[in-house]
Amino acid sequence: MALTLYWASGSPFAWSVMLALACKGLSCESRRLDMSQGEHKTPQFLALNPRGKVPVLVDGDAVITESLAILAYVDALQPEPPLFGTGALARARVMEALSSVMSYLEPALFPIPMQVFFKPWDEAGQDAVRRAIPAALAELEKVEAVLAGHDALAGSDLSVADLRLYPVLRFFWRAWIVVEKKGGVPELASLQRDRFPAIDGWCGRIEALPGFADTVPPHWVRKD
Ligand SMILES: N[C@@H](CCC(=O)N[C@@H](CS)C(=O)NCC(=O)O)C(=O)O
């Protein structure tokens, strides 16, 4: 039965699922939704996910919402390479790393892109971004320290923790590109990818995955 993935360009959670499918060599039918046109709030899509959020994976009669549930499903469908670890301790390490990304890094990083992309870019908005920088920097430094000692967040093999973090970081760094055009917060430069060599190398490893290019949000790809 063919898998069908509902996604939106720029959604980090949808991107993590696309990366997992690429890792596994699984193909799927693509249903890209245009959020600016409200395609994630149509009756047809709300029938799949009443919260009106992407990603959603459909496999025959099964409709799976929530990116982590989809990642677990995909991992069970195609166990190689294992994304949730093998063995008790390896599985615990993967969940530890994933939980750390979701519990600490994301709450520290997300206020910046959310402010830049979705809220008024006035003096108060720029102050909010400046105030968020120390916490974001502290989390990035923690990740840098982990990746300076390991090839991946939970050891040597890529796991769901890495596939969750990578799109989150790209979403975060994209805020800088937008801020540069708007002007206002040069301090954000201290949080960019080129300041973190271990994170940069790890990003390169993910970007070398077969099929990676097809997962990049299409509206981010330069047309020139
Ligand atoms: N916990 C959900 C979060 C999904 C989510 O927030 N998706 C965003 C895009 S990144 C969305 O669809 N937002 C549209 C909305 O909330 O109306 C998951 O992991 O799948």
Side-chain angles (χ1 to χ4, degrees):
M1 187 68 71
L3 301 172
T4 302
L5 180 68
Y6 292 78
W7 60 286
S9 183
S11 160
F13 309 123
W15 196 355
S16 69
V17 169
M18 294 163 99
L19 286 172
L21 292 168
C23 279
K24 303 281 188 182
L26 286 173
S27 58
C28 71
E29 286 182 22
S30 164
R31 295 274 191 282
R32 179 181 172 186
L33 302 183
D34 184 346
M35 287 194 173
S36 70
Q37 299 302 312
E39 288 179 359
H40 56 312
K41 303 297 179 191
T42 61
Q44 292 83 351
F45 187 69
L46 290 173
L48 296 177
N49 183 356
R51 293 189 190 275
K53 290 180 186 290
V54 292
V56 171
L57 186 75
V58 178
D59 185 9
D61 291 338
V63 177
I64 305 160
T65 66
E66 291 298 317
S67 57
L68 293 186
I70 297 171
L71 288 165
Y73 185 75
V74 164
D75 195 60
L77 278 185
Q78 170 54 272
E80 291 299 326
L83 293 176
F84 284 81
T86 44
L89 187 57
R91 289 175 75 86
R93 292 292 179 232
V94 169
M95 296 314 290
E96 192 177 49
L98 177 63
S99 182
S100 180
V101 169
M102 296 175 64
S103 303
Y104 310 115
L105 180 133
E106 290 178 8
L109 264 59
F110 275 143
I112 294 177
M114 297 311 275
Q115 185 71 48
V116 171
F117 296 146
F118 303 119
K119 297 184 184 167
W121 192 241
D122 51 15
E123 206 45 56
Q126 293 172 33
D127 281 347
V129 166
R130 280 191 200 92
R131 280 198 305 278
I133 287 175
L137 180 60
E139 286 300 323
L140 288 170
E141 284 173 342
K142 284 191 174 64
V143 174
E144 176 71 7
V146 170
L147 292 175
H150 304 277
D151 288 342
L153 284 181
S156 54
D157 297 325
L158 292 175
S159 72
V160 283
D162 303 278
L163 303 190
R164 172 80 179 201
L165 176 62
Y166 177 85
V168 164
L169 288 180
R170 291 289 305 268
F171 180 70
F172 172 72
W173 286 325
R174 189 167 169 80
W176 168 244
I177 297 170
V178 176
V179 165
E180 266 192 315
K181 288 185 192 140
K182 295 182 179 206
V185 186
E187 300 93 314
L188 263 187
S190 67
L191 304 180
Q192 297 314 297
R193 178 170 168 172
D194 59 356
R195 306 298 174 100
F196 303 96
I199 296 178
D200 182 47
W202 166 88
C203 284
R205 181 175 175 197
I206 292 176
E207 288 156 2
L209 288 171
F212 170 82
D214 295 334
T215 70
V216 177
H219 81 282
W220 292 10
V221 177
R222 289 171 67 104
K223 305 277 189 307
D224 54 0

